[in-house]
Amino acid sequence: MHLKPVAVHDIPDLLPLVKQYWAYEGIAGFDPAQVGAQLHHLCEDPRLGAGWIARVNGEPVGYLLAV
């Protein structure tokens, strides 16, 4: 497993993981464009928090966002 800070180029791989989390928690209204924009904002402004993405053999398998 490889863990690295989330960067803007990771957002397309991160969105399906976030969508799965929302479904697991029963959170309605997942909008990939809106969530992607918020993740982009987080990546661009470290004052907002940080994120990490975990990959196994290059495939995204998990993430952590701290805001």
Side-chain angles (χ1 to χ4, degrees):
M1 182 173 71
H2 180 72
L3 185 66
K4 71 172 208 69
V6 169
V8 171
H9 67 265
D10 293 311
I11 293 172
D13 287 340
L14 194 56
L15 285 173
L17 297 173
V18 174
K19 183 178 182 179
Q20 288 177 345
Y21 174 74
W22 282 38
Y24 175 79
E25 289 292 331
I27 302 169
F30 181 82
D31 178 348
Q34 184 178 25
V35 173
Q38 294 300 317
L39 290 170
H40 190 277
H41 193 57
L42 176 68
C43 290
E44 295 285 313
D45 189 350
R47 296 173 300 164
L48 299 176
W52 296 266
I53 187 165
R55 295 179 183 273
V56 172
N57 298 322
E59 296 297 316
V61 295
Y63 71 97
L64 172 69
L65 299 174
V67 296

